[in-house]
Amino acid sequence: MESIEQIRVRGGGPLEGSIPVGGAKNSVLKLMAATLLAEGAYHLHNVPRITDVDLMSDLLCATGCSVARDGTTLRIDVPAEIEPVAPYEIVEQFRASIVVMGPMLARCGEARVAMPGGDDFGPRPIDMHVRGLQELGAEFDTAHGYIHARSQNLQGARVLLEFPSVGATENLVMAAVRAKGTTVIDNAAREPEIADLCELLNKMGAQIIGAGSSTITIAGVDSQDALHSADHTVIPDRIEAATYLCAVGITGGEITVAGARHEHMSMLCQKLGEMGMRISHDPDGIWALAPRRMTSADCQSLPYPGIATDFKPFLVTLLATADGVGIVTENLFSGRFRYVDELRRMGADIRTDSHHAVIRGVERLSGAPVRAHDIRAGSALVIAGLAADGETIVADADHIARGYDDLAGKLRGIGGDVIAE
Ligand code: EPU
């Protein structure tokens, strides 16, 4: 994939037209990890061209798989034997790699995974992944920067998660698929990406019910032959869709986010409605009509179906130019307000205090050189640039390419003056 260093944006008028949304990053990465569970040829459709998919492909190849792309279809060939190791050079570049632990453990009886890296916000422990897998009988030790999980006999168990962690739920589901007996995960994450993962697993022969609810029940299939390869189409990326909805909220205008699913982001749509956007689901996706200036509202990030923490940088940016004062509360990640300093450099009036941001809307932002600290912060700065006077240059745009397939080109398609360089 071509590397991107910076994105140049010039503020302009309203956005108009149809903008397509790709497959969900946070789904496809887990679907790719799930293929490790059984030998065979898999075809994943609607796979976005993003760096994280390339990294997960490298990780699968390091285990012995081969991965080939044809347009938006990824073909993954998983051999009869895999090497259950996730090497540091790959894992340090993206945190989602931790989800290979569950399938490797289930398939090979062990997994050696380098301690994860990833986004530049707050400490992101994996204690719930480890505790849950221990309940299924896995043993852990760590040495030389690697976590080593072992169990020749995973046993179904009841696991109560302290918090509905997305990654812990995914790792547990994938391990439990091959355990002896039944596993029940309580307080499971309910994100649509979990339901998508379970749909693929069921196509592969797993027996999972309750995905998408807070209790997931997995009847383990303990023979290696019971699981087989399958094909699957990735669900649309609700976070990418949210980026475009907030973009039109900032500039005003009328867009259709083609392929997006309203039911995956109802709480956000409701909030945008409260702020003055007309928004509804459309046969093609989500239709939105935004006034020249939105009205402020308060919001807080919560696990699904609440407003996702990933939407928050876009909402803060939207509030930066809305009429009034809004308070945004972050309940998931402690360090996730770093981009606020960048927005301030663009003239935003934002105060932060631990988990809260108070945003007093200004009429117009002012274009400036800024820096992307993570994927969502980066795309938020791009959409801020759409509503700023003059030019905004977003540096470290490689973060954005981790999760967006041609953000600049897609925004140009609805009238944004955005160039990736
Ligand atoms: N947590 C723990 N211990 C654990 C696991 C999580 O304390 O063992 C904490 C985390 O530190 C965090 C909270 O629980 O404060 C939520 O973490 P969760 O495990 O739910 O998140 P994740 O699986 O690491 C996924 C997405 C994130 C998204 C979060 C929340 C992927 C690859 N990542 O991360 O997406 O913000 O869920 O919805 O699926 C992104 O796409 O840019 C992104 C960061």
Side-chain angles (χ1 to χ4, degrees), residues 280-303:
S280 63
H281 82 109
D282 177 276
D284 292 331
I286 300 178
W287 169 85
L289 175 68
R292 196 194 64 79
R293 196 170 183 203
M294 302 271 279
T295 310
S296 296
D298 297 340
C299 59
Q300 58 175 321
S301 64
L302 284 169

Side-chain angles (χ1 to χ4, degrees), residues 25-26 30 95-96 119 121 123-129 163-167 191 239 309-310 332-333 336 375-376:
K25 168 182 84 75
N26 291 347
K30 324 310 169 59
R95 182 188 154 86
D119 292 301
F121 49 85
R124 304 182 68 186
I126 54 159
D127 54 311
M128 282 187 264
H129 301 238
F163 178 89
S165 155
V166 173
E191 271 70 2
I239 310 173
T309 177
D310 306 281
L332 275 83
F333 294 110
R336 220 176 187 186
I375 308 175
R376 311 303 169 192

Side-chain angles (χ1 to χ4, degrees), residues 246 266-275 294-303 305-320 322 325-332 337 339 351 355-359:
C246 291
S266 310
M267 209 76 91
L268 176 74
C269 292
Q270 186 172 298
K271 186 57 73 178
L272 293 173
E274 214 178 281
M275 294 172 72
M294 302 271 279
T295 310
S296 296
D298 297 340
C299 59
Q300 58 175 321
S301 64
L302 284 169
I307 290 181
T309 177
D310 306 281
F311 298 162
K312 213 195 47 209
F314 320 140
L315 283 167
V316 168
T317 305
L318 179 51
L319 288 167
V325 178
I327 300 174
V328 173
T329 303
E330 168 63 47
N331 291 311
L332 275 83
F337 275 125
Y339 57 93
R351 276 179 302 130
H355 287 228
H356 306 285
V358 180
I359 304 119

Side-chain angles (χ1 to χ4, degrees), residues 6-82:
Q6 60 179 29
I7 293 185
R8 194 183 285 274
V9 192
R10 294 192 71 84
L15 296 174
E16 308 281 347
S18 177
I19 183 164
V21 70
K25 168 182 84 75
N26 291 347
S27 194
V28 71
L29 299 176
K30 324 310 169 59
L31 300 171
M32 292 173 76
T35 64
L36 292 174
L37 279 164
E39 179 187 358
Y42 296 79
H43 295 90
L44 299 180
H45 305 293
N46 198 27
V47 175
R49 282 182 191 279
I50 55 175
T51 323
D52 275 14
V53 166
D54 293 345
L55 289 169
M56 186 56 101
S57 301
D58 291 347
L59 181 42
L60 295 185
C61 292
T63 70
C65 303
S66 58
V67 182
R69 183 188 270 277
D70 180 8
T72 57
T73 296
L74 213 58
R75 177 184 162 126
I76 303 172
D77 285 285
V78 180
E81 299 286 334
I82 59 162

Side-chain angles (χ1 to χ4, degrees), residues 93-363:
Q93 298 184 59
F94 81 128
R95 182 188 154 86
S97 48
I98 190 71
V99 294
V100 297
M101 184 181 278
M104 281 180 178
L105 188 60
R107 173 98 181 266
C108 308
E110 68 168 331
R112 235 178 242 283
V113 180
M115 301 286 276
D119 292 301
D120 188 12
F121 49 85
R124 304 182 68 186
I126 54 159
D127 54 311
M128 282 187 264
H129 301 238
V130 170
R131 218 172 307 135
L133 293 169
Q134 279 170 335
E135 309 239 16
L136 301 189
E139 289 174 359
F140 284 84
D141 53 67
T142 53
H144 312 297
Y146 277 74
I147 308 168
H148 188 196
R150 264 168 303 147
S151 170
Q152 285 308 324
N153 284 306
L154 289 172
Q155 291 285 343
R158 174 170 180 267
V159 181
L160 174 61
L161 291 176
E162 194 179 309
F163 178 89
S165 155
V166 173
T169 302
E170 291 162 338
N171 250 332
L172 280 169
V173 166
M174 289 191 272
V177 154
R178 285 290 318 277
K180 272 202 167 58
T182 299
T183 298
V184 178
I185 307 171
D186 269 330
N187 199 23
R190 292 189 274 167
E191 271 70 2
E193 292 76 22
I194 308 256
D196 202 30
L197 169 65
C198 293
E199 198 180 315
L200 171 65
L201 292 169
N202 281 340
K203 284 183 194 166
M204 290 167 62
Q207 293 175 24
I208 306 170
I209 54 171
S213 79
S214 53
T215 302
I216 303 181
T217 305
I218 306 113
V221 289
D222 57 8
S223 118
Q224 183 85 47
D225 306 333
L227 293 181
H228 48 79
S229 61
D231 295 347
H232 190 72
T233 300
V234 185
I235 55 169
D237 196 312
R238 63 198 166 96
I239 310 173
E240 186 192 357
T243 316
Y244 306 144
L245 291 174
C246 291
V248 76
I250 290 167
T251 62
E254 182 176 359
I255 64 166
T256 299
V257 185
R261 288 208 204 146
H262 191 282
E263 72 272 22
H264 287 174
M265 44 202 309
S266 310
M267 209 76 91
L268 176 74
C269 292
Q270 186 172 298
K271 186 57 73 178
L272 293 173
E274 214 178 281
M275 294 172 72
M277 187 180 286
R278 281 180 60 202
I279 187 162
S280 63
H281 82 109
D282 177 276
D284 292 331
I286 300 178
W287 169 85
L289 175 68
R292 196 194 64 79
R293 196 170 183 203
M294 302 271 279
T295 310
S296 296
D298 297 340
C299 59
Q300 58 175 321
S301 64
L302 284 169
Y304 192 83
I307 290 181
T309 177
D310 306 281
F311 298 162
K312 213 195 47 209
F314 320 140
L315 283 167
V316 168
T317 305
L318 179 51
L319 288 167
T321 55
D323 187 11
V325 178
I327 300 174
V328 173
T329 303
E330 168 63 47
N331 291 311
L332 275 83
F333 294 110
S334 52
R336 220 176 187 186
F337 275 125
R338 283 190 62 182
Y339 57 93
V340 162
D341 290 336
E342 307 295 320
L343 287 172
R344 283 199 196 103
R345 306 189 65 252
M346 297 178 70
D349 179 353
I350 308 175
R351 276 179 302 130
T352 54
D353 180 12
S354 87
H355 287 228
H356 306 285
V358 180
I359 304 119
R360 201 174 294 274
V362 296
E363 274 276 346

